[in-house]
Amino acid sequence: MSQNKKDKIQMQKKVQGLYRKTKQQHKEDKDDNKIGIVIVNICVVLGVLVFILNTFIKDF
């Protein structure tokens, strides 16, 4: 194999490695985002429950 082909193959391997790292990071970021969304949803539900219970308690 010529030196030029070897250099191209090495460059492709580097690019593939960087691409895999970037994809993995995006996947991890999405997982973190999902956890944040779940926490926000739980807080919203708890807030609504507190509001509803508060209105019922004032009626008694």
Side-chain angles (χ1 to χ4, degrees):
M1 238 190 265
S2 69
Q3 185 63 30
N4 192 19
K5 284 189 178 183
K6 288 180 183 178
D7 290 343
K8 284 184 179 181
I9 290 172
Q10 279 185 328
M11 185 60 71
Q12 285 177 340
K13 287 181 181 180
K14 286 181 184 178
V15 169
Q16 285 175 349
L18 290 173
Y19 178 75
R20 288 184 185 124
K21 286 180 185 177
T22 304
K23 268 196 96 112
Q24 182 66 27
Q25 185 63 42
H26 286 303
K27 182 181 176 187
E28 291 171 2
D29 290 344
K30 286 182 182 180
D31 291 343
D32 292 343
N33 193 19
K34 287 179 185 178
I35 292 170
I37 290 172
V38 168
I39 291 171
V40 168
N41 286 338
I42 290 171
C43 290
V44 168
V45 169
L46 288 175
V48 170
L49 285 174
V50 167
F51 177 74
I52 291 171
L53 290 175
N54 195 14
T55 57
F56 282 132
I57 290 172
K58 284 184 179 179
D59 290 341
F60 291 115

